[in-house]
Amino acid sequence: MGAVLVAYANAFGGDFQFDDYNVIVGNPAVHSLSAWLADLRGIRPLLKLTYAVNWISGLGLFGFHLFNVAFHAANGVMVYLLLSRFGGDSGRESRPYETPAFFAALLFALHPVQTEAVTYISGRSMSLMAFFYLGSLLAYVRGRESASGFWLYLVSPALFVLALLTKETALTLPVALILWEAVGRSRRESVRSILRAQAAHWGVLFSSLVSLALHPGYARFLSSNFGIRSMADNLLAQIDGLSYLLFQLVWPVHLNIDPMFPDVSGWTWGLAGEALVLGSLLAVGIVSLRRRPWFGFGILWFFLHLLPTNSIVPRLDVANERHLYIAGMGLFFAVAVQLLEWSRRLAADRRIVRTGAAAVLIVLGVLTVSRNHDYRSEIALWESSVRADPHNARAFNNLGHAYALAGESEKAGSAYREALRLHPGYDLARRNLAILE
């Protein structure tokens, strides 16, 4: 998509950041194909293969960014192809959502919240997984439209497997198929018929769950994560996290690579208000399934695709913007269809509607270009993080580390001292300051 190339042209000037050093730069398992083969029993092997191919390509950072931007553009096309089939069985004449699907695809492609999955190199775990995930959904839809076992039982499940080998959060796909069937097709069929069409996907899901349970890497991951905070506290923290992510979709002017959330161990009025908003949104989604299926689909899609990353399993980071990469698609579609419905009811001039839509897309594109600029260096990225949240001690510590690496000792010391002022017990910042002095 040309729009993606325009909005992400300055992403090619981005540097390695944050987790990139752990999973790519400092990870010998992705520095050659032989090393990747030796590590094949590790987690996310397909994702690591793409890192290895980029590393040995000789294209350097340009190759990494080219891969990410190209796959994001491809995902935007697939979002359009998928959503344009919403509510129809086959043929262009039975696809009434092509116009809002196109607008939703542009929102998906240009929204600045996507930069964490595109410009941030290791954020490709989400965008690459989405490529296979959306491909599997499209293959399934094509199989259903043409009654083709080849697409239903071979191509779509195979792409599902590739999505899982990229990132395990793709486990939601069979449930997404159920949601699609529930609200996205005009033809009604028996539950048995639908489940028969999805048999291979559910088989892949159950096999993958068994494999994950037996994999020592995931066992260690779950064991360490459940020690971060209690399940009760984590559920309260996730209310705050989900509210943050929803707000970033609506008002993406303070994006943050490392958002921090206060520790919660009980209800507050603010948390109760956030829970009320989220609960009401979910209820609207459920109620809308019959009369406004696009609205129900969009809202339930949003919540479904945040379940693996924002649920009962505690994570050190309560929420990250890259988790919105697929989840946001549903709300983009719901908004696009609803705006089209309102414009038709009000008999609005098409030129006014198109001008308004173009203005929104231009603003989002400009915000994306601006956010890409923050990834030009570690210092720039962490400076943007402390601007977004001046109370984040960890961000100030990371900013100090970036300054220290650049030889700016005075600025590094100031950042470390600010981290300690915000969090007097922050041992890492204290050690970093001691090394500096």
Side-chain angles (χ1 to χ4, degrees), residues 132 215 295 381 388 430:
F132 297 115
H215 195 289
F295 218 66
L381 185 64
R430 181 170 283 105

Side-chain angles (χ1 to χ4, degrees), residues 22-45:
N22 294 326
V23 301
I24 302 173
V25 180
N27 183 9
V30 301
H31 292 174
S32 69
L33 291 180
S34 59
W36 173 78
L37 283 170
D39 188 57
L40 195 56
R41 299 172 72 178
I43 65 173
R44 303 179 182 178

Side-chain angles (χ1 to χ4, degrees), residues 58-207:
L59 295 175
L61 274 166
F62 176 83
F64 282 96
H65 286 299
L66 179 63
F67 184 101
N68 283 21
V69 172
F71 273 78
H72 180 54
N75 287 339
V77 173
M78 286 197 289
V79 166
Y80 165 70
L81 293 175
L82 179 67
L83 294 179
S84 65
R85 286 164 167 78
F86 186 88
D89 294 327
S90 62
R92 292 181 61 88
E93 67 280 357
S94 60
R95 295 175 189 171
Y97 295 101
E98 284 193 302
T99 298
F102 184 69
F103 184 51
L106 286 172
L107 289 174
F108 172 90
L110 297 176
H111 199 291
V113 81
Q114 308 291 46
T115 54
E116 193 172 304
V118 183
T119 315
Y120 181 28
I121 293 172
S122 57
R124 83 162 55 156
S125 60
M126 287 300 295
S127 53
L128 181 61
M129 182 273 286
F131 176 78
F132 297 115
Y133 191 104
L134 294 171
S136 180
L137 272 166
L138 270 171
Y140 174 83
V141 172
R142 178 167 181 176
R144 292 287 280 154
E145 289 176 350
S146 61
S148 169
F150 173 74
W151 293 99
L152 284 176
Y153 303 121
L154 181 61
V155 178
S156 182
L159 290 170
F160 181 25
V161 171
L162 294 178
L164 288 167
L165 293 175
T166 303
K167 191 175 179 67
E168 55 284 340
T169 52
L171 288 167
T172 57
L173 190 136
V175 184
L177 296 181
I178 292 289
L179 178 60
W180 179 269
E181 292 285 2
V183 298
R185 294 173 63 85
S186 60
R187 183 179 63 215
R188 300 305 179 198
E189 299 183 49
S190 68
V191 173
R192 178 178 296 182
S193 174
I194 292 173
L195 291 179
R196 189 183 303 119
Q198 300 174 3
H201 300 84
W202 288 96
V204 169
L205 173 63
F206 291 130
S207 299

Side-chain angles (χ1 to χ4, degrees), residues 336-372:
V337 178
Q338 194 61 56
L339 289 176
L340 183 62
E341 289 288 311
W342 285 338
S343 66
R344 286 173 176 170
R345 289 181 185 178
L346 296 173
D349 190 313
R350 288 187 178 183
R351 289 174 296 178
I352 296 176
V353 174
R354 290 172 180 171
T355 301
V360 169
L361 294 173
I362 290 172
V363 169
L364 292 177
V366 169
L367 290 174
T368 293
V369 171
S370 176
R371 181 56 176 164
N372 289 335

Side-chain angles (χ1 to χ4, degrees), residues 104 107-115 241-256 278 281 298-299 301-303 305-306 320-335 360 363-364 367-368:
L107 289 174
F108 172 90
L110 297 176
H111 199 291
V113 81
Q114 308 291 46
T115 54
L242 285 172
S243 300
Y244 167 83
L245 292 176
L246 184 61
F247 184 76
Q248 295 299 73
L249 277 180
V250 176
W251 193 251
V253 296
H254 296 295
L255 299 179
N256 195 340
L278 292 173
L281 183 62
I299 293 172
W301 177 277
F302 172 78
F303 282 104
H305 289 89
L306 288 177
N320 294 112
E321 289 150 9
R322 61 184 174 274
H323 298 150
L324 287 167
Y325 189 78
I326 291 183
M329 183 194 87
L331 293 186
F332 295 149
F333 183 56
V335 168
V360 169
V363 169
L364 292 177
L367 290 174
T368 293

